[in-house]
Amino acid sequence: MKEVCLTNNIPFINAFQASKNWYDTDNNDLTIDGSQLNNEGYEKFSQFLADELTGNKSIKSEGKRLAVNEAIKEKNFYWHNDYKIPNGVHVFGRRHAPYGPDNYPYGIKKTRELTAIRDSMIWATVQNQSYDVASADALTSKLPPVKINYNLGNKESILQYKYGDEAHRVRPTSGMEFISSSHFPDEVQGDMLLANSIWFLGLKQHQMMEDGTGYTSKHRQDLITSNDPNFRPVEMVFAPDSSLYIVDWHNVLIGHMQHNARDSLRDYVHGRIYRITYPSRPLVKPAKVFGQQWITHHGHFDDGKFPVTDISIVKSQTKNPILNGFEEFEAYSWLYHVDGGDWKLQGDSEPLLMGHSTKSQHEIDGDLDKFSLDNPVAWTKSYTGNSGNNARVFFATLGHPYDFKIPVLRKIAMNGIYWALGKEGEIPEDGVNVVLDEPFLPNNSGFGQKFKKNQKPTQIQ
C-alpha cells in the first residue's frame, strides 16, 4: 500500500506500525475484543490520525470539543449500523426470506443518507454554523411498508410439557441471578435462577452443589411459569430491600430476525416489571449509613487525562480538624450529584468540601436545574445501628485512582479516618503525614485493564 501511494503521490499513514507499537508498550487493553478499539484505543488512534493529517498543529478552539464530540458520536451510530450491521446474515444471505435482500437495500440506503447528514453536521459544528438535522432527515428516502409475516391466528400452545432432566433444559438467556438475599429462605441461598423466553416461559430455580473443582445443579422448582405466549423474562435483580425484580420484555416477536426489524408488531415502548417477595419474611430496610445513595454524575470526560472537578472548602468548616493542611486542588473524579433538585443529604450530614464540575454532560443536556455543577464531595454525619451506639461517619465521593497521587487528597482521607476514630486531637495542624516511601503509580479507572505484573505487597517498617 505504501509503494502504491508513493507511486501515485497519495499521502500514506502507517497506522499498522503505530498501533503495533502501542500494543507492545501499553499495559492497558486498547480493544474490547482483541479487534475493535475501546475508548482508550480510540483516544490513541484519533490523536495519531489528527497529528498525521494536520502536522501536529495546536488546537485553535478548545470550546468546541464537546459539541464536536457529540456530533461525531451521532454520526458513528449510523455509520456503525452500516459498516457492522447487526445480524448481517439476515441482511446479505441465509436468513433472507421473506425480507433480507428484498427489503434491506432500502434500509441501507437510508442509513447512508442519515450518516452523510451527520457528517455535514460535524463540519458545520467545527465552523460554528447552525445545521438543521431534522429538516435534512425529513428529505431522506422513504422506507417502503413492511408486510407482517407473523401468523396472529396461530392458536398452537407454546407450552410443551416434558419430563425428567429434559424438562429443565433452557435456551441461552440474558437473565441469570444467584440468590443472595436475607428476605429469601436460608435453604435457597446460593440457588441459581434462570430466566427463559423461548419454549419454556418463566424462571427456573436450581440448587447449586459443589462437584470436585466445579459445580453441578439440581432443579428445585419453576419459580415462575406463564401461559402467556408473549411473556419474555429477560433480566432480574435483587433490590436493596432484598426483594426480586424481574423484567418482562413482553414482545410478540422473538427469534433470530425471522421478522423484519421494522415489523409493526415489534413493541419498543411497553414491558412489564414483576416483584417477588416472601410475605412470611420481612423485607430488609437499607441502612442509611453514608448519607446518600448513587444518583448520577456529570460524565467521564477525559477520564484520567485531565482533572474534571475543582475542590474547595466550605467556608463554615475552616476550623474543622479534618481539613487541617487542606489546599484547593483539581480532582480526576467526576462530580457525583448528592444534594439539590429532588435529592437531599440525609440525617445530620455536614458538608466539608465542595466540588465544581468543569465538564458536565448534564450541562450539555440542559439538566442543571436538577443536577447542579456544584455539589458536596466530602461530609461528616452520625449513624446509630441496631446496638444503639452512636458512630461517626466520614464520607467522600472522591476516589479516582489518580486522585490518590495528590498529597492533599490522601491527607484529607487520613484526617477523616482519625476523626471517625475519635482521635481528632492527634491530627497535626498541617494534617496527618502522607508522604509515600515509594511512588504511587496506579492504573486508570475502568474495567478490562491489565494488572501490573510482578507487583507484591511491600512490608512497611
Side-chain angles (χ1 to χ4, degrees):
M1 291 176 63
K2 183 177 182 180
E3 292 176 359
V4 172
C5 288
L6 289 174
T7 302
N8 293 275
N9 196 28
I10 298 174
F12 174 79
I13 298 176
N14 190 347
F16 173 78
Q17 186 59 49
S19 60
K20 187 175 183 300
N21 293 338
W22 301 335
Y23 297 134
D24 290 340
T25 59
D26 202 306
N27 290 326
N28 296 330
D29 288 334
L30 301 178
T31 70
I32 60 175
D33 56 6
S35 173
Q36 301 180 89
L37 295 175
N38 59 18
N39 286 340
E40 190 165 347
Y42 272 121
E43 285 185 11
K44 283 182 172 291
F45 186 50
S46 60
Q47 183 71 52
F48 169 76
L49 283 182
D51 290 346
E52 291 292 316
L53 291 172
T54 66
N56 196 15
K57 294 180 180 178
S58 60
I59 298 174
K60 294 182 179 179
S61 179
E62 185 70 31
K64 298 189 181 74
R65 178 186 289 271
L66 293 180
V68 172
N69 181 255
E70 290 301 311
I72 291 174
K73 286 193 293 186
E74 186 166 344
K75 177 193 172 182
N76 280 351
F77 171 81
Y78 290 97
W79 174 82
H80 199 263
N81 276 279
D82 179 5
Y83 174 74
K84 192 177 182 182
I85 191 164
N87 214 338
V89 295
H90 167 64
V91 178
F92 303 111
R94 284 172 55 193
R95 296 191 179 109
H96 64 275
Y99 301 108
D102 294 331
N103 179 78
Y104 261 84
Y106 302 104
I108 292 175
K109 179 182 179 183
K110 188 176 183 72
T111 298
R112 291 174 180 173
E113 292 172 350
L114 294 170
T115 303
I117 289 171
R118 270 71 190 168
D119 188 73
S120 298
M121 178 178 66
I122 293 171
W123 287 103
T125 303
V126 171
Q127 297 167 10
N128 204 26
Q129 299 174 355
S130 61
Y131 189 84
D132 193 339
V133 175
S135 297
D137 286 349
L139 299 176
T140 57
S141 301
K142 305 300 180 184
L143 294 174
V146 172
K147 183 180 178 180
I148 295 174
N149 74 331
Y150 181 78
N151 184 5
L152 292 172
N154 184 2
K155 301 299 184 182
E156 181 181 355
S157 174
I158 288 182
L159 289 179
Q160 298 179 8
Y161 292 98
K162 300 178 181 180
Y163 301 91
D165 292 340
E166 185 182 8
H168 308 304
R169 294 173 183 168
V170 295
R171 293 286 297 270
T173 175
S174 59
M176 185 182 77
E177 186 66 88
F178 290 94
I179 297 178
S180 179
S181 162
S182 60
H183 179 59
F184 280 62
D186 295 340
E187 61 268 19
V188 302
Q189 298 301 314
D191 278 12
M192 178 172 60
L193 301 177
L194 287 170
N196 202 63
S197 55
I198 300 178
W199 297 337
F200 170 77
L201 305 181
L203 264 67
K204 288 189 175 291
Q205 181 176 339
H206 286 255
Q207 180 183 4
M208 301 299 295
M209 299 167 290
E210 291 188 13
D211 182 16
T213 58
Y215 291 88
T216 186
S217 68
K218 178 182 178 182
H219 177 260
R220 187 188 292 275
Q221 66 174 334
D222 292 340
L223 187 61
I224 290 181
T225 60
S226 176
N227 58 6
D228 179 351
N230 300 334
F231 181 57
R232 314 290 187 195
V234 294
E235 184 58 291
M236 68 194 92
V237 66
F238 284 100
D241 65 2
S242 287
S243 61
L244 177 64
Y245 280 83
I246 300 168
V247 176
D248 174 16
W249 182 19
H250 205 266
N251 208 311
V252 174
L253 304 183
I254 188 170
H256 295 287
M257 294 297 288
Q258 293 93 332
H259 313 285
N260 191 274
R262 294 192 295 112
D263 194 304
S264 60
L265 286 178
R266 292 191 182 277
D267 190 344
Y268 296 96
V269 179
H270 300 92
R272 298 175 178 179
I273 296 179
Y274 296 90
R275 182 172 181 252
I276 296 179
T277 63
Y278 270 79
S280 61
R281 296 176 65 88
L283 290 167
V284 175
K285 294 182 179 180
K288 297 180 179 180
V289 178
F290 303 124
Q292 193 51 277
Q293 66 183 59
W294 192 95
I295 303 168
T296 185
H297 58 66
H298 284 265
H300 293 267
F301 298 105
D302 299 321
D303 185 18
K305 290 189 175 296
F306 307 101
V308 292
T309 306
D310 293 336
I311 309 300
S312 60
I313 194 171
V314 175
K315 292 182 179 180
S316 62
Q317 298 294 326
T318 55
K319 300 297 184 181
N320 193 304
I322 296 177
L323 301 179
N324 285 3
F326 174 79
E327 296 177 353
E328 293 187 354
F329 67 99
E330 298 175 324
Y332 290 88
S333 294
W334 34 93
L335 181 67
Y336 287 86
H337 184 81
V338 298
D339 192 68
D342 296 331
W343 301 89
K344 299 295 179 185
L345 280 175
Q346 301 162 357
D348 58 354
S349 297
E350 191 74 37
L352 307 180
L353 297 176
M354 293 293 292
H356 174 80
S357 181
T358 57
K359 291 187 177 181
S360 168
Q361 185 63 47
H362 289 300
E363 184 175 24
I364 296 172
D365 297 339
D367 291 335
L368 293 185
D369 58 326
K370 295 185 293 185
F371 309 114
S372 170
L373 290 175
D374 299 284
N375 245 248
V377 295
W379 59 87
T380 58
K381 70 181 294 290
S382 63
Y383 171 72
T384 303
N386 295 331
S387 65
N389 295 327
N390 191 51
R392 288 179 167 187
V393 177
F394 169 73
F395 191 88
T397 61
L398 304 173
H400 192 287
Y402 290 173
D403 283 346
F404 287 93
K405 296 193 295 184
I406 304 172
V408 66
L409 187 281
R410 301 198 301 270
K411 188 184 295 288
I412 296 304
M414 291 301 299
N415 290 353
I417 293 173
Y418 269 66
W419 175 86
L421 293 173
K423 296 184 176 183
E424 62 269 28
E426 299 180 25
I427 302 176
E429 289 187 6
D430 59 349
V432 176
N433 180 17
V434 291
V435 176
L436 301 177
D437 292 332
E438 295 186 11
F440 179 57
L441 302 173
N443 283 337
N444 198 359
S445 67
F447 297 98
Q449 297 180 352
K450 298 177 181 177
F451 293 104
K452 289 184 170 65
K453 297 179 180 180
N454 302 319
Q455 296 292 304
K456 296 181 179 180
T458 301
Q459 184 172 351
I460 300 176
Q461 301 297 330

